[in-house]
Amino acid sequence: MSSNTETKTSASINIDGKQLDCPIVEGTEGERAIDISKLRAETGIITLDNGFVNTGSCTSAITFIDGEKGILRYRGYGIEELAEKSTFVEVAYLLINGKLANKTELDAFSQGLTKHSLLHEDMIHLFSGFPSTAHPMAILSSMTSSLSTYYPESHDTPSDEQVDLDIIRILSKLRTIAAFSYKKSIGQPLIYPDNSLTYCSNFLNMMFAVPTEPYEIDPDIVKVINQLLILHADHEQNCSTSTVRTVQSSGASMYAAVSAGISALWGPLHGGANQAVLDMLEGIRASGDDYKTFLGKVKDKKTNIRLMGFGHRVYKNFDPRAKILRQSCDTVLSKLGVSDPLLDLARGLEEEALKDEYFVSRNLYPNVDFYSGIIYKALNIPVDMFTVMFALGRIPGWLAHWKEQRDSGVKKIFRPRQIYTGANEQNYTTIDQR
Ligand code: CMC
């Protein structure tokens, strides 16, 4: 446990006439948890918590969320201020190293990212092996795993210097992989990284430049990309970050853990929701449904339809990231002169849902994914790249958690228990007797 946790009181659990006193652990923001680590050893009983709704899997000093008040802070800094004043590279440094970088530190970090942006040339051939219809999340995850084959020194027990180098490599090269996978999917020549460009400009250039004509990088778009990546950079123990920590706990490399995190993020209930929101809006428009008809389908449990981009496990009031993006959406669309009927549709759905008893009683509010897709669409980022954009933003968070767990020195493999509900002991019968 980190040194910033305090044990103040205890909770008593009475089981089969036996009492166990469990310490109550309190974090720096007053969140409390019952430490049940001795429960099974002392009583033979375990806890059961589907979806880990009530389970703290670790202590962490990286990100604080208050879901009731709509607070999100990275290393103590409010998301609103970071989104307005900072850059993605600076936020990545903050999350991974625990403090805002001074000029020298930030320059060194940025230079590292610039220097390590190229992929090993042999890796380029791997892209040709994927069908043109391959989802870029599948490519990103496989390529991250493949990247590890070029750095065997990162396996086993990497030194502190090696860990720092792997962090830089992953942050820089995954951006190149993401852009290359897009270029491959549309059959355009790869645009290699350009060392004269900053992190987000370099990404835009690799995505949208072609060798035949100049590509002007719009500073307003660079600013929005920075903001989007900052807003996605960490979110404490979400599904993909917990996956990264789980894989780290087995001693697997940073590349293996991040590759697994990318796969976990892909699902529509997690990072895949941004693509699902756009698909949903397109579907509503194509069907000619009005908001009420569509929301009626969502509320009918038999349909299994969810209002994508709504609801959150932690935020039960509002998602502060959605609030920022709702505003940015307006700014970006008007700056680019884009008028998108899907934005009007999203606004209408939001307004209708926020006064509907079904959503109100379940505390369902727009989340970060509700508006991000509309912005990506306005920036000409294709729909199946939306979740890749989320992944690029989340990399610093995954790396920060991987490092925090590794640096804690605690070597405890994540290995939950279960309550077995299958058949009792049976005798094997040979096939002719079945
Ligand atoms: N549309 C309709 N009903 C919903 C929705 C939704 N988007 N979200 C939750 N509900 C209902 C759900 O059916 C359940 O109703 P009931 O109590 O009648 O059974 C109740 O609300 C609680 O839902 P839950 O699934 O138990 O809540 P959860 O905390 O396990 O799930 C969630 C959180 C984000 C997976 C869920 O709200 C959801 O599926 N949202 C849509 C997908 C989405 O936008 N995901 C992006 C999340 S933000 C980015 C990220 O961090 O990945």
Side-chain angles (χ1 to χ4, degrees), residues 7 16 18 22 72 90 118 125 151-152 248 252 266 270 288 334 342 375 382 387 413 422:
T7 305
D16 303 333
K18 194 174 172 189
C22 301
L72 170 60
E90 192 180 52
L118 279 174
H125 303 299
Y151 308 111
Q248 193 284 334
W266 192 2
H270 192 10
S334 73
L342 293 187
I375 303 182
T387 313
I413 191 166

Side-chain angles (χ1 to χ4, degrees), residues 118-133:
L118 279 174
L119 303 182
H120 190 293
E121 202 53 26
D122 289 351
M123 262 194 101
I124 309 297
H125 303 299
L126 299 182
F127 284 98
S128 316
F130 293 104
S132 60
T133 51

